[in-house]
Amino acid sequence: MTSAHRHVLRAQLFLPPGGDPGLHARVLSTLEGITPRVQAVEPDAADLDVTGALRFWGRDVRGIGQLVQLRTAALYGLHDTTVGAGPNRMIAAMAADATPPGGMTVIRHEPRAVAAFLRPRPVAALYGVGPATAATLAAYGLYTIGALADTPLPTVQRLFGAAVGRNLHERAHGRDLRPVTPAAAPRQATAEHRFDADELDPVRHRRALLGLAERLGAGLRDEARIAGAVTLTVRYADGSTTTRTRTLTEPTHHSAALARSAYGLYERLGLQRARVRRFTLGAEGLRPAAEAVRQLTFDPRADRALAVEAVADRARARYGPGVLGPATLAGPPG
């Protein structure tokens, strides 16, 4: 089935931060009652291919989107579920990103409608375009998706290479052949920090990442699990996102090690003056903590850090979260 005949929804769920870790999976199960073709999008979204569900429900795409919003609100209290709809996953996701919480945007299955939606938007809003790619495009005067679409393919390929250039060119014309693949949410744990306002300050960025690593590590230790990789997802002021993953040299659930990996991923992004709206830190490749193998070290600071962490865990278990932690995190939230 070609993308011209598909109807895809992106449901942005806005799960409560620090809430029930199994909520996402339960919402996905509910959405599978609307269409069996549901794919989890971490940390708090889902893609639905509703092509075959339109006739079954006797509704158009907007009607199916309203059904999604009704069920997530009635069953889980998620009153801000945002829905974007379009002929493929990319258009649906971009439509959801451009929609206020609780709203819906439907892009019709017409080339003119897709072009009218895409062309005026900044290149940074295009799927797969992060700050570095957007800066390169801007250096050549390509500020909008329309300008990128009008640029000859060989020119784009000279800038980014054959494969990446072709992908960018295809997306600028609204083409995305990725299917919605039914799958359960990946086995991972996540923690999220939403800034009160779009944040520029790298110091506040790093403070937020430290807080996420502390929450994530505490949760893993409580569940006696260790992580084999760390993923950082950054959502920017314009609604676009960038995701990077780092495999850990030694699986761990210690907050300091998770924080170092988060800082490394952050530095690799080279955000500079990027306005950040939200960080999501994920621990992937989870396994039982009993399988952990710790590399011996002669650094007494490492042993002291683990001893302090154990004391903090005992204090948290007795008095609640946040009772003891790094001094950097003391004071009002960022």
Side-chain angles (χ1 to χ4, degrees), residues 41-107:
V41 179
E42 291 294 332
D44 60 354
D47 284 345
L48 298 80
D49 188 330
V50 300
T51 308
L54 300 180
R55 185 175 180 181
F56 176 83
W57 290 100
R59 300 183 181 216
D60 60 9
V61 174
R62 183 173 294 276
I64 297 292
Q66 291 169 342
L67 184 61
V68 168
Q69 292 176 320
L70 177 63
R71 292 198 173 184
T72 54
L75 296 176
Y76 304 103
L78 302 176
H79 299 285
D80 288 334
T81 295
T82 301
V83 173
N88 56 53
R89 293 182 64 189
M90 182 190 75
I91 298 298
M94 291 178 64
D97 286 341
T99 304
M104 185 186 312
T105 298
V106 177
I107 307 302

Coordinates of all heavy atoms in Angstrom, one line a residue, residues 41-107:
V41 N 6.0 5.1 20.3 CA 7.0 6.1 20.0 C 7.4 6.6 21.4 O 6.7 7.3 22.1 CB 6.5 7.2 19.2 CG1 7.5 8.3 18.9 CG2 6.0 6.7 17.8
E42 N 8.6 6.2 21.9 CA 9.1 6.6 23.2 C 9.4 8.1 23.2 O 9.8 8.7 22.2 CB 10.3 5.9 23.6 CG 10.0 4.4 23.8 CD 9.1 4.2 25.0 OE1 9.2 5.0 26.0 OE2 8.4 3.2 25.1
P43 N 9.1 8.8 24.3 CA 8.7 8.2 25.6 C 7.2 8.3 25.8 O 6.7 7.6 26.7 CB 9.4 9.1 26.6 CG 9.4 10.5 26.0 CD 9.6 10.2 24.5
D44 N 6.4 9.0 25.0 CA 5.0 9.2 25.4 C 4.1 9.5 24.2 O 3.3 10.4 24.2 CB 4.9 10.4 26.4 CG 5.4 11.7 25.9 OD1 6.0 11.7 24.8 OD2 5.2 12.7 26.6
A45 N 4.3 8.7 23.1 CA 3.5 8.9 22.0 C 3.3 7.6 21.3 O 3.8 6.5 21.7 CB 4.2 9.9 21.0
A46 N 2.4 7.6 20.2 CA 2.2 6.4 19.5 C 1.7 6.8 18.1 O 1.1 7.8 17.9 CB 1.1 5.6 20.1
D47 N 2.1 5.9 17.1 CA 1.6 6.1 15.7 C 0.6 5.0 15.5 O 0.8 3.8 15.8 CB 2.8 5.9 14.7 CG 3.7 7.2 14.7 OD1 3.3 8.2 15.2 OD2 4.8 7.1 14.2
L48 N -0.5 5.4 14.8 CA -1.6 4.5 14.5 C -1.8 4.5 13.0 O -2.1 5.6 12.4 CB -2.9 4.8 15.2 CG -2.9 4.8 16.7 CD1 -2.3 6.1 17.3 CD2 -4.3 4.7 17.2
D49 N -1.8 3.4 12.3 CA -2.2 3.3 10.9 C -3.7 2.9 11.0 O -4.1 1.8 11.3 CB -1.4 2.2 10.2 CG -1.7 2.3 8.6 OD1 -2.8 2.6 8.3 OD2 -0.8 1.9 7.9
V50 N -4.6 3.9 10.6 CA -6.0 3.7 10.8 C -6.7 3.5 9.4 O -7.9 3.6 9.3 CB -6.7 4.9 11.5 CG1 -6.1 5.1 12.9 CG2 -6.5 6.2 10.7
T51 N -5.9 3.2 8.4 CA -6.4 3.0 7.0 C -7.5 2.0 7.0 O -8.6 2.2 6.4 CB -5.3 2.5 6.1 OG1 -4.2 3.4 6.2 CG2 -5.7 2.5 4.6
G52 N -7.3 0.8 7.6 CA -8.4 -0.2 7.6 C -9.4 0.0 8.7 O -10.4 -0.7 8.7
A53 N -9.2 1.0 9.6 CA -10.2 1.2 10.7 C -11.3 2.1 10.3 O -12.3 2.2 11.0 CB -9.5 1.7 11.9
L54 N -11.1 2.9 9.2 CA -12.1 4.0 8.9 C -13.5 3.3 8.6 O -14.5 3.8 9.1 CB -11.6 4.8 7.7 CG -10.3 5.5 7.9 CD1 -9.9 6.3 6.6 CD2 -10.3 6.5 9.1
R55 N -13.5 2.3 7.8 CA -14.7 1.7 7.4 C -15.3 0.9 8.6 O -16.6 1.0 8.8 CB -14.5 0.7 6.2 CG -15.8 0.1 5.7 CD -15.5 -0.7 4.5 NE -16.7 -1.4 3.9 CZ -16.7 -2.2 2.9 NH1 -15.6 -2.4 2.2 NH2 -17.9 -2.7 2.5
F56 N -14.5 0.3 9.4 CA -15.0 -0.5 10.5 C -15.7 0.5 11.5 O -16.8 0.1 12.0 CB -13.8 -1.2 11.3 CG -14.2 -1.9 12.5 CD1 -14.7 -3.2 12.4 CD2 -14.1 -1.3 13.8 CE1 -15.1 -3.8 13.6 CE2 -14.5 -1.9 14.9 CZ -15.0 -3.2 14.8
W57 N -15.2 1.6 11.8 CA -15.8 2.5 12.8 C -16.8 3.5 12.1 O -17.5 4.2 12.8 CB -14.7 3.4 13.4 CG -13.8 2.6 14.4 CD1 -12.6 2.1 14.2 CD2 -14.2 2.2 15.7 NE1 -12.1 1.4 15.2 CE2 -13.1 1.4 16.2 CE3 -15.3 2.4 16.5 CZ2 -13.1 0.9 17.5 CZ3 -15.3 1.8 17.8 CH2 -14.3 1.1 18.3
G58 N -16.8 3.5 10.8 CA -17.8 4.4 10.1 C -17.4 5.8 10.4 O -18.3 6.7 10.4
R59 N -16.1 6.2 10.5 CA -15.7 7.5 10.7 C -14.6 7.9 9.8 O -13.9 7.1 9.2 CB -15.1 7.7 12.2 CG -16.1 7.3 13.3 CD -15.5 7.6 14.6 NE -16.4 7.2 15.7 CZ -16.5 7.9 16.9 NH1 -15.7 9.0 17.0 NH2 -17.3 7.5 17.8
D60 N -14.4 9.2 9.6 CA -13.3 9.7 8.8 C -12.1 9.8 9.8 O -12.1 9.5 11.0 CB -13.6 11.0 8.1 CG -13.9 12.2 9.1 OD1 -13.8 12.0 10.4 OD2 -14.4 13.2 8.7
V61 N -10.9 10.3 9.2 CA -9.7 10.4 10.0 C -9.9 11.3 11.3 O -9.5 10.9 12.4 CB -8.5 10.9 9.2 CG1 -7.3 11.1 10.0 CG2 -8.2 9.9 8.0
R62 N -10.6 12.4 11.1 CA -10.8 13.3 12.3 C -11.6 12.6 13.3 O -11.4 12.7 14.5 CB -11.4 14.6 11.8 CG -11.6 15.6 12.9 CD -12.1 16.9 12.4 NE -11.1 17.6 11.6 CZ -10.2 18.3 12.1 NH1 -10.0 18.5 13.4 NH2 -9.3 18.9 11.2
G63 N -12.6 11.8 12.9 CA -13.5 11.1 13.8 C -12.7 10.0 14.6 O -12.9 9.8 15.8
I64 N -11.7 9.3 13.9 CA -10.9 8.4 14.6 C -10.0 9.1 15.6 O -9.8 8.6 16.7 CB -10.1 7.6 13.6 CG1 -11.0 6.7 12.7 CG2 -9.1 6.6 14.4 CD1 -11.7 5.6 13.4
G65 N -9.5 10.3 15.2 CA -8.6 11.1 16.1 C -9.4 11.5 17.4 O -8.9 11.4 18.5
Q66 N -10.7 11.9 17.2 CA -11.5 12.2 18.3 C -11.8 11.0 19.2 O -11.8 11.1 20.5 CB -12.8 12.8 17.8 CG -12.7 14.2 17.2 CD -13.9 14.6 16.4 OE1 -14.8 13.8 16.1 NE2 -14.0 15.9 16.1
L67 N -11.9 9.8 18.6 CA -12.1 8.6 19.4 C -10.8 8.3 20.3 O -10.9 7.9 21.5 CB -12.3 7.4 18.5 CG -12.7 6.1 19.1 CD1 -13.9 6.2 20.0 CD2 -12.8 5.0 18.0
V68 N -9.7 8.5 19.7 CA -8.4 8.4 20.5 C -8.4 9.3 21.6 O -8.1 9.0 22.8 CB -7.2 8.6 19.5 CG1 -5.9 8.8 20.4 CG2 -7.0 7.5 18.5
Q69 N -8.7 10.6 21.4 CA -8.7 11.6 22.5 C -9.7 11.3 23.6 O -9.5 11.4 24.8 CB -8.9 13.0 21.9 CG -7.8 13.5 21.0 CD -8.1 14.8 20.4 OE1 -9.2 15.1 20.0 NE2 -7.1 15.7 20.4
L70 N -10.9 10.8 23.1 CA -12.0 10.5 24.1 C -11.6 9.3 25.0 O -11.7 9.4 26.2 CB -13.2 10.1 23.3 CG -14.4 9.7 24.2 CD1 -14.9 10.8 25.1 CD2 -15.6 9.2 23.3
R71 N -11.0 8.3 24.4 CA -10.6 7.1 25.2 C -9.5 7.4 26.1 O -9.5 6.9 27.3 CB -10.3 5.9 24.3 CG -11.6 5.4 23.6 CD -11.4 4.0 23.0 NE -12.7 3.5 22.5 CZ -12.9 2.3 22.0 NH1 -11.8 1.4 22.0 NH2 -14.0 1.9 21.6
T72 N -8.5 8.1 25.7 CA -7.3 8.4 26.5 C -7.7 9.3 27.7 O -7.2 9.2 28.8 CB -6.1 9.0 25.8 OG1 -6.6 10.1 25.0 CG2 -5.6 8.0 24.8
A73 N -8.7 10.2 27.4 CA -9.1 11.1 28.5 C -10.0 10.3 29.5 O -9.9 10.4 30.7 CB -9.9 12.3 27.9
A74 N -11.0 9.6 29.0 CA -11.9 8.9 29.8 C -11.3 7.8 30.7 O -11.6 7.6 31.9 CB -13.1 8.3 29.0
L75 N -10.4 7.0 30.1 CA -9.8 5.9 30.8 C -8.6 6.2 31.6 O -8.3 5.5 32.6 CB -9.5 4.8 29.7 CG -10.6 4.2 29.0 CD1 -10.2 3.2 27.9 CD2 -11.6 3.5 29.9
Y76 N -7.8 7.2 31.2 CA -6.5 7.5 31.9 C -6.4 8.9 32.3 O -5.3 9.3 32.9 CB -5.4 7.1 30.9 CG -5.4 5.7 30.4 CD1 -5.9 5.4 29.1 CD2 -5.1 4.6 31.3 CE1 -6.0 4.1 28.7 CE2 -5.2 3.3 30.8 CZ -5.6 3.0 29.6 OH -5.7 1.7 29.1
G77 N -7.3 9.8 32.1 CA -7.2 11.1 32.5 C -6.3 12.0 31.7 O -5.8 13.0 32.2
L78 N -5.9 11.5 30.5 CA -5.0 12.2 29.6 C -5.8 13.2 28.8 O -6.1 13.0 27.6 CB -4.2 11.3 28.8 CG -3.4 10.2 29.6 CD1 -2.7 9.2 28.6 CD2 -2.4 10.9 30.5
H79 N -6.1 14.4 29.3 CA -7.0 15.3 28.6 C -6.3 16.2 27.6 O -6.9 16.9 26.9 CB -7.6 16.2 29.7 CG -8.5 15.5 30.7 ND1 -9.7 15.0 30.3 CD2 -8.3 15.1 32.0 CE1 -10.3 14.3 31.4 NE2 -9.4 14.4 32.4
D80 N -4.9 16.1 27.6 CA -4.2 16.9 26.6 C -3.7 16.1 25.4 O -2.8 16.6 24.7 CB -3.0 17.6 27.3 CG -3.4 18.7 28.3 OD1 -4.5 19.3 28.1 OD2 -2.6 19.0 29.2
T81 N -4.2 14.9 25.2 CA -3.7 14.1 24.1 C -3.9 14.9 22.8 O -4.9 15.4 22.5 CB -4.5 12.8 24.0 OG1 -4.2 12.0 25.1 CG2 -4.1 12.0 22.7
T82 N -2.8 15.1 22.1 CA -2.7 15.8 20.8 C -2.6 14.8 19.6 O -1.9 13.9 19.7 CB -1.5 16.8 20.8 OG1 -1.6 17.6 21.9 CG2 -1.5 17.6 19.5
V83 N -3.4 15.1 18.6 CA -3.4 14.2 17.4 C -3.0 15.0 16.2 O -3.5 16.1 15.9 CB -4.8 13.6 17.3 CG1 -4.9 12.8 16.0 CG2 -5.2 12.7 18.4
G84 N -2.1 14.4 15.4 CA -1.8 14.8 14.1 C -2.1 13.7 13.1 O -1.9 12.6 13.4
A85 N -2.6 14.1 12.0 CA -3.0 13.1 11.0 C -2.5 13.5 9.6 O -2.4 14.6 9.2 CB -4.5 12.9 10.9
G86 N -2.1 12.4 8.8 CA -1.5 12.7 7.5 C -1.4 11.4 6.7 O -1.7 10.3 7.2
P87 N -0.8 11.5 5.5 CA -0.7 10.3 4.7 C 0.5 9.4 5.0 O 0.7 8.4 4.4 CB -0.4 11.0 3.3 CG 0.2 12.3 3.6 CD -0.5 12.8 4.8
N88 N 1.4 9.8 6.0 CA 2.5 9.0 6.4 C 2.9 9.4 7.8 O 2.4 10.4 8.4 CB 3.6 9.1 5.4 CG 4.1 10.5 5.2 OD1 4.4 11.2 6.1 ND2 4.2 10.9 3.9
R89 N 3.8 8.6 8.4 CA 4.2 8.9 9.8 C 4.9 10.2 10.0 O 4.6 10.9 11.0 CB 5.2 7.8 10.2 CG 4.5 6.4 10.3 CD 5.5 5.3 10.8 NE 6.0 5.7 12.2 CZ 6.9 5.0 12.8 NH1 7.6 4.1 12.2 NH2 7.3 5.4 14.0
M90 N 5.7 10.7 9.0 CA 6.4 11.9 9.2 C 5.4 13.1 9.2 O 5.5 14.0 10.1 CB 7.4 12.1 8.0 CG 8.2 13.4 8.1 SD 9.1 13.8 6.7 CE 7.8 14.4 5.6
I91 N 4.5 13.1 8.3 CA 3.5 14.2 8.2 C 2.6 14.2 9.5 O 2.4 15.3 10.1 CB 2.6 14.1 7.0 CG1 3.5 14.2 5.7 CG2 1.6 15.2 7.0 CD1 4.2 15.6 5.6
A92 N 2.2 13.0 9.9 CA 1.4 12.9 11.1 C 2.2 13.5 12.3 O 1.6 14.2 13.2 CB 1.0 11.5 11.3
A93 N 3.4 13.1 12.5 CA 4.2 13.5 13.6 C 4.4 15.0 13.6 O 4.4 15.7 14.6 CB 5.6 12.8 13.6
M94 N 4.7 15.6 12.4 CA 5.0 17.0 12.3 C 3.7 17.8 12.6 O 3.7 18.9 13.1 CB 5.5 17.4 10.9 CG 6.9 16.9 10.7 SD 7.6 17.2 9.0 CE 7.6 19.0 9.1
A95 N 2.5 17.2 12.1 CA 1.2 17.9 12.4 C 1.0 17.9 13.9 O 0.5 18.9 14.4 CB 0.1 17.1 11.7
A96 N 1.3 16.8 14.6 CA 1.1 16.8 16.0 C 2.0 17.8 16.7 O 1.6 18.5 17.7 CB 1.4 15.4 16.6
D97 N 3.3 17.9 16.3 CA 4.2 18.8 16.9 C 3.7 20.3 16.7 O 4.1 21.1 17.5 CB 5.6 18.7 16.2 CG 6.3 17.4 16.7 OD1 5.9 16.9 17.8 OD2 7.3 17.0 16.0
A98 N 3.0 20.5 15.6 CA 2.6 21.9 15.3 C 1.2 22.2 16.0 O 0.7 23.3 15.8 CB 2.4 22.1 13.8
T99 N 0.7 21.3 16.8 CA -0.6 21.4 17.4 C -0.6 21.7 18.9 O 0.2 21.0 19.6 CB -1.5 20.2 17.1 OG1 -1.5 19.9 15.7 CG2 -2.9 20.3 17.6
P100 N -1.3 22.6 19.4 CA -1.4 22.8 20.9 C -1.9 21.6 21.6 O -2.6 20.8 21.0 CB -2.3 24.0 21.0 CG -2.4 24.7 19.7 CD -2.2 23.6 18.7
P101 N -1.5 21.4 22.8 CA -2.0 20.3 23.6 C -3.5 20.2 23.6 O -4.2 21.2 23.8 CB -1.4 20.5 25.0 CG -0.2 21.3 24.8 CD -0.5 22.2 23.6
G102 N -4.0 19.0 23.4 CA -5.4 18.7 23.3 C -6.1 19.0 22.0 O -7.3 18.7 21.9
G103 N -5.3 19.5 21.0 CA -5.9 19.8 19.7 C -5.7 18.7 18.7 O -5.1 17.6 19.0
M104 N -6.0 19.0 17.5 CA -5.9 18.1 16.4 C -5.6 18.8 15.1 O -6.3 19.8 14.8 CB -7.1 17.2 16.2 CG -7.0 16.1 15.2 SD -8.6 15.2 14.9 CE -9.1 14.8 16.6
T105 N -4.7 18.3 14.3 CA -4.4 18.8 13.0 C -4.5 17.7 12.0 O -3.8 16.7 12.1 CB -3.1 19.5 12.9 OG1 -3.1 20.6 13.8 CG2 -2.8 20.1 11.5
V106 N -5.3 17.8 10.9 CA -5.4 16.8 9.9 C -4.9 17.4 8.6 O -5.4 18.4 8.1 CB -6.9 16.4 9.7 CG1 -7.0 15.4 8.6 CG2 -7.4 15.8 11.0
I107 N -3.9 16.8 8.0 CA -3.3 17.2 6.7 C -4.0 16.2 5.6 O -3.8 15.0 5.7 CB -1.8 17.0 6.6 CG1 -1.2 17.8 7.8 CG2 -1.3 17.6 5.3 CD1 -1.5 19.3 7.9

